[in-house]
């Protein structure tokens, strides 16, 4: 009887299995990243986070993933159904904590993951990268944000040379690299203190692209070591700073509360592996400021090591704060080849001793790479000193709207350069200066100046045309300024703010007529030619009635040219100086495209080309 019941039970199970099929195994699901409670760095461009999970199904069935997310663990909404175990969500809110989970289905059964959370970084971080301090942006450089040598997030610089992030609280290193570029590193960057950081990414000068190990030590004015500067409140008017590098520092700059450079620094040193100097703290009180120690190797590998100093002195009482007066500007735009050799003479000597002659030759011909190709832009500012009582120096500020000010640099002098970081032709900028006092306070603004950088232009030589023959012995020279990008169109170098007629185009000592046979006997026009706006210039070569035509003799003496050009002879002609000049009540701006020793440009600015022509019988 017992066997009969067992047999009937078996038959029932077989019938049930045949009707319903095998029992379905449940899928499994786990969340991977962001891990629970993680603070996540994101790019400012998309503010995106990729949610990753993993799942398996016992029967190997295809799975679908329902992704849920919200700002509360008790109120999650489905944001996507996907066939892969990851999903990218965009446009998240910086500083916001999000909760998420995944429900996995094999088409028969569903399984829900635990709920995890992550927080989007809340510190806006803008990394600005240049190639040279007088140019604009370095485009396409790789910017890695690192913590403990691990890459947290990475991107490439945009057309403005910017890399923009939202980062969690903490300290980071920034590493900038690119093809043919020397490595540039910012160490100990805190986005909660420094929202914007300026840095350079220069061309590698050698194959020795080793990042130096830079050590910064601080001492009291009496020489006692300050063992943990960032954990120490400094009560002194000055401290000693000792910088040691594992590689030769061909140049070292220190800047308090700004990134130093050749035109703005508190301390500089050259050709050394160790340097100690005293730096004044007298313009700070009751604040934490970043001290930038910037080191370049001979390769132009760069380290900007940041040390945050908390300063709380007992300064003398300041009862009067007076703004500087008479602020004015002088600005330059130039397409001169600013050579690598525009360095202090000790650096030239180092390089000439250490590098092969072939590399020296290459370096001398090196042209800085800019986002605005071949362009150098900078502004010189000057003002009248405020009274010296309790004065520590001056802070220089720049603005794009005249209301929100960004500090450019500090100086104890009555002038300073803005090295051109992010300056663009045709845009309007505002500058002001404030007196800084020994208690860390500032005066009101000085007068505010408006600055509009001029763009570049080129010169088109029209006639005599290149390789033209049977040219008159008294030719008429014609040339005109043209757009530097599209040389078939006129230049409008003042942008939307300056009318063409307000800009003077100046040609000095031009044109030159080069005698291709007698290399030391040339002819030039000795008067300055000036046009209002970018007009074509028509200048007859009429030495009989125009006494401004001058001949240079082999002994470099000059006489008046009184004869026509020689018959059937080949000459070359071009301009020796072509600049544009704009002046306002606040200062002036010069745009130079040619300057062979006339000193409108700050550098020698070679002509792009010359036209060759041959005279005829008449």
């Amino acid at each position: 009887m017992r066997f009969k019941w067992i047999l009937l039970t078996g038959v029932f199970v077989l019938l049930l299995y045949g009707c319903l099929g095998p029992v379905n195994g449940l899928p499994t699901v786990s969340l991977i990243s962001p891990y629970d409670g993680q603070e996540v760095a994101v790019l400012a461009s998309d503010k995106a986070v990729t949610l990753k999970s993993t799942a398996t199904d016992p029967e190997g069935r295809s799975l679908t993933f329902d992704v849920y997310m919200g700002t509360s663990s008790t109120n999650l909404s489905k944001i996507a159904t996907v066939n892969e175990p990851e999903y990218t969500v965009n446009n998240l809110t910086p500083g916001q904590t999000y909760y998420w989970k995944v429900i996995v289905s094999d088409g028969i059964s569903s399984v829900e993951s635990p709920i995890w959370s992550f927080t989007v970084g809340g510190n806006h971080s803008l990394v600005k990268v240049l190639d040279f301090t007088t140019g604009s942006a370095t485009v396409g450089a790789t910017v890695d944000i690192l913590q403990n040598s691990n890459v947290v997030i990475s991107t490439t610089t945009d057309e403005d040379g910017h890399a923009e992030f939202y980062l969690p609280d903490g300290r980071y290193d920034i590493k900038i690299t690119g093809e043919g570029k020397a490595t540039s590193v910012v160490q100990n960057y805190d986005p909660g203190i420094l929202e914007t950081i300026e840095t350079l990414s220069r061309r590698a000068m050698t194959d020795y692209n080793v990042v130096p190990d830079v050590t910064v030590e601080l001492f009291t004015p009496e020489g006692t070591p300050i063992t943990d500067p960032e954990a120490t409140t400094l009560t002194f008017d000055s401290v000693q700073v000792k910088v040691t590098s594992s590689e030769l520092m061909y140049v070292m700059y220190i800047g308090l509360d700004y990134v130093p450079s050749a035109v703005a620094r508190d301390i500089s040193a050259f050709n050394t592996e160790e340097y100690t100097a005293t730096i004044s703290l007298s313009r700070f009180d009751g604040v934490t400021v970043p001290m930038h120690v910037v080191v370049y190797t001979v390769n132009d590998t760069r380290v900007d090591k940041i040390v945050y100093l908390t300063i709380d002195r007992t300064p003398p009482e300041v009862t009067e704060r007076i703004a500087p007066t008479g602020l004015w500007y002088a600005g330059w735009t130039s397409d001169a080849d600013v050579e690598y050799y525009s360095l202090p003479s000790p650096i030239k000597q180092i390089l000439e001793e250490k590098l092969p002659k072939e590399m020296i030759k290459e370096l001398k011909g090196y042209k800085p790479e800019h986002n605005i190709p071949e362009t150098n832009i900078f502004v010189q500012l000057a003002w009248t000193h405020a009274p010296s009582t309790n004065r520590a120096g001056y802070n220089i500020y720049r603005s794009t709207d005249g209301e929100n000010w960004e500090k450019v640099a500090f100086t104890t002098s009555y002038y300073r350069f803005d090295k051109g970081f992010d300056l663009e032709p045709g845009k309007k900028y505002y500058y002001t200066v404030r007196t800084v006092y020994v208690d860390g306070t500032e005066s009101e603004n000085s007068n505010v100046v408006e600055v509009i950088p001029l763009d570049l232009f080129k010169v088109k030589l029209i006639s005599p045309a290149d390789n033209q023959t049977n040219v008159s012995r008294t030719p008429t020279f014609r040339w005109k300024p043209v757009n530097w990008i599209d040389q078939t169109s006129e230049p409008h170098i003042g942008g939307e703010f300056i009318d063409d007629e307000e800009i003077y185009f100046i040609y000095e000592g031009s044109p030159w007529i080069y005698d291709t046979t007698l290399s030391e006997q040339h002819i030039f026009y000795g008067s300055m030619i000036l046009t209002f706006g970018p007009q074509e210039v028509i200048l007859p070569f009429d030495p009989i009635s125009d006494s401004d035509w001058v001949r240079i003799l082999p002994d470099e003496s000059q006489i008046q040219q009184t004869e026509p050009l020689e018959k059937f002879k080949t000459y070359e002609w071009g301009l020796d100086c072509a600049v544009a000049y704009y002046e306002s009540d606040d200062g002036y701006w010069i745009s130079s495209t040619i300057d062979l020793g006339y000193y409108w440009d700050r550098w020698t600015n070679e002509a792009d080309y010359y036209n060759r022509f041959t005279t005829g019988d008449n």
Side-chain angles (χ1 to χ4, degrees):
M1 187 67 176
R2 181 181 177 189
F3 175 76
K4 180 178 179 181
W5 279 110
I6 293 174
L7 181 62
L8 289 173
T9 301
V11 171
F12 177 77
V13 170
L14 288 174
L15 289 173
L16 183 62
Y17 184 84
C19 294
L20 301 179
V23 177
N24 181 59
L26 296 177
T28 60
V29 59
S30 300
L31 303 184
I32 298 177
S33 67
Y35 62 77
D36 194 20
Q38 182 177 352
E39 294 183 283
V40 183
V42 297
L43 298 177
S45 57
D46 56 17
K47 295 182 282 294
V49 172
T50 298
L51 309 175
K52 295 183 179 181
S53 59
T54 183
T56 58
D57 185 77
E59 289 78 33
R61 291 186 174 91
S62 297
L63 299 175
T64 59
F65 300 81
D66 291 337
V67 182
Y68 289 77
M69 194 174 76
T71 57
S72 167
S73 60
T74 59
N75 187 22
L76 302 182
S77 301
K78 186 165 71 172
I79 59 173
T81 298
V82 292
N83 296 320
E84 300 294 332
E86 63 180 62
Y87 179 73
T88 299
V89 58
N90 298 290
N91 297 317
L92 298 177
T93 301
Q96 177 66 56
T97 297
Y98 291 92
Y99 298 83
W100 68 292
K101 69 178 181 180
V102 173
I103 297 178
V104 177
S105 173
D106 61 4
I108 301 174
S109 303
S110 297
V111 175
E112 182 175 331
S113 74
I115 297 173
W116 279 10
S117 69
F118 65 89
T119 302
V120 180
N123 297 295
H124 181 245
S125 169
L126 178 59
V127 182
K128 298 181 177 181
V129 187
L130 282 182
D131 182 31
F132 268 59
T133 55
T134 59
S136 190
T138 296
V139 179
T142 298
V143 178
D144 294 325
I145 306 295
L146 302 98
Q147 271 190 329
N148 301 319
S149 300
N150 297 315
V151 176
V152 174
I153 194 168
S154 181
T155 190
T156 56
T157 52
D158 61 19
E159 61 183 6
D160 296 319
H162 294 175
E164 198 169 357
F165 311 91
Y166 283 95
L167 302 176
D169 293 339
R171 299 287 175 88
Y172 300 86
D173 290 345
I174 305 172
K175 183 177 181 182
I176 299 107
T177 55
E179 184 176 357
K181 297 285 190 178
T183 299
S184 180
V185 176
V186 179
Q187 297 177 341
N188 201 33
Y189 168 63
D190 190 330
I193 300 175
L194 291 173
E195 179 179 358
T196 300
I197 184 72
E198 301 173 355
T199 185
L200 301 183
S201 177
R202 290 183 169 177
R203 178 191 176 190
M205 296 293 116
T206 72
D207 292 331
Y208 191 67
N209 188 27
V210 176
V211 177
D213 182 11
V214 176
T215 301
V216 179
E217 300 173 86
L218 262 65
F219 302 84
T220 68
E222 296 74 28
T224 303
I226 302 173
T227 56
D228 189 352
E230 292 200 350
T232 302
T233 298
L234 304 179
T235 60
F236 321 106
D237 289 339
S238 65
V239 290
Q240 295 182 43
V241 182
K242 180 180 179 181
V243 181
T244 308
S245 174
S246 60
E247 301 291 332
L248 180 71
M249 300 185 292
Y250 86 72
V251 64
M252 185 274 296
Y253 299 127
I254 299 177
L256 268 178
D257 205 27
Y258 65 94
V259 179
S261 70
V263 298
R265 75 270 186 190
D266 285 88
I267 293 173
S268 61
F270 305 95
N271 189 21
T272 184
E273 294 177 356
E274 182 180 300
Y275 189 77
T276 300
T278 297
I279 189 168
S280 172
L281 307 179
S282 63
R283 66 184 189 269
F284 302 104
D285 185 51
V287 293
T288 297
V289 297
M291 180 176 71
H292 295 265
V293 179
V294 176
V295 170
Y296 296 90
T297 70
V298 174
N299 182 54
D300 260 355
T301 305
R302 180 181 189 272
V303 171
D304 177 0
K305 186 157 191 155
I306 306 173
V307 181
Y308 302 92
L309 305 182
T310 299
I311 303 169
D312 189 6
R313 304 161 37 250
T314 304
E317 182 181 4
V318 178
T319 59
E320 189 176 37
R321 298 169 181 84
I322 301 175
T325 58
L327 177 63
W328 65 278
Y329 77 90
W332 285 266
T333 306
S334 170
D335 63 352
D337 293 351
V338 183
E339 296 181 348
Y340 177 80
Y341 267 49
S342 57
L343 290 172
S345 56
I347 309 312
K348 299 180 185 179
Q349 182 178 351
I350 296 170
L351 293 174
E352 288 169 353
E353 291 174 354
K354 293 182 176 293
L355 300 182
K357 290 182 178 179
E358 295 78 9
M359 184 169 288
I360 294 293
K361 183 177 180 181
E362 179 185 356
L363 294 179
K364 285 186 175 182
Y366 167 56
K367 182 183 297 181
E369 301 168 19
H370 305 309
N371 183 37
I372 306 173
E374 306 176 356
T375 306
N376 309 287
I377 296 178
F378 64 95
V379 185
Q380 180 177 347
L381 301 155
W383 54 90
T384 301
H385 270 311
S388 60
T389 303
N390 290 323
R391 187 186 71 212
Y394 303 95
N395 284 334
I396 299 92
Y397 291 87
R398 185 176 73 200
S399 172
T400 57
D401 58 11
E403 297 180 1
N404 299 293
W405 298 97
E406 175 186 7
K407 185 160 75 171
V408 174
F410 167 83
T411 183
T412 57
S413 184
Y414 59 90
Y415 70 91
R416 179 56 74 197
F417 291 94
D418 179 2
K419 56 184 180 292
F421 225 107
D422 281 350
L423 291 181
E424 296 182 32
K427 291 191 175 182
K428 183 180 289 187
Y429 301 91
Y430 302 85
Y431 287 89
T432 193
V433 179
R434 302 170 190 163
T435 310
V436 183
Y437 290 90
V438 293
D439 62 352
T441 60
E442 293 181 323
S443 71
E444 297 295 323
N445 288 342
S446 70
N447 58 302
V448 175
V449 297
E450 293 185 5
V451 177
I452 303 169
L454 297 182
D455 203 349
L456 287 178
F457 71 99
K458 293 293 184 181
V459 174
K460 182 178 181 179
L461 305 180
I462 300 172
S463 68
D466 194 29
N467 295 319
Q468 185 176 344
T469 59
N470 199 31
V471 173
S472 169
R473 296 170 60 201
T474 56
T476 295
F477 292 96
R478 296 172 55 221
W479 68 88
K480 66 178 180 180
V482 292
N483 185 290
W484 71 277
I485 298 175
D486 176 11
Q487 298 190 17
T488 65
S489 62
E490 287 189 353
H492 299 283
I493 64 176
E496 63 177 299
F497 297 107
I498 305 175
D499 293 335
D500 288 340
E501 293 73 20
E502 297 182 60
I503 300 171
Y504 302 149
F505 285 77
I506 300 169
Y507 310 95
E508 189 172 356
S510 295
W512 274 60
I513 306 170
Y514 294 92
D515 191 319
T516 59
T517 303
L518 300 173
S519 60
E520 295 180 345
Q521 295 198 38
H522 307 309
I523 303 166
F524 71 94
Y525 190 69
S527 289
M528 180 183 292
I529 298 172
L530 175 69
T531 68
F532 297 92
Q535 300 180 33
E536 181 177 319
V537 177
I538 301 174
L539 180 66
F541 178 72
D542 185 4
I544 295 174
S545 60
D546 189 343
S547 60
D548 286 322
W549 289 101
V550 180
R551 174 177 285 272
I552 299 179
L553 299 179
D555 63 358
E556 297 186 356
S557 63
Q558 299 179 6
I559 62 172
Q560 183 180 342
Q561 175 72 20
T562 59
E563 300 293 331
L565 300 179
E566 296 182 43
K567 296 180 181 180
F568 308 116
K569 187 167 184 177
T570 298
Y571 297 88
E572 287 185 341
W573 80 278
L575 305 183
D576 252 31
C577 179
V579 298
Y581 177 85
Y582 171 73
E583 185 172 348
S584 70
D585 293 338
D586 294 331
Y588 65 85
W589 197 284
I590 295 170
S591 174
S592 171
T593 188
I594 305 170
D595 190 346
L596 297 176
Y598 293 86
Y599 304 108
W600 290 88
D601 203 331
R602 297 182 70 90
W603 301 279
T604 298
N605 198 335
E606 302 287 347
D608 294 309
Y609 68 98
Y610 298 91
N611 279 0
R612 176 169 288 207
F613 66 94
T614 303
T615 57
D617 189 30
N618 297 311

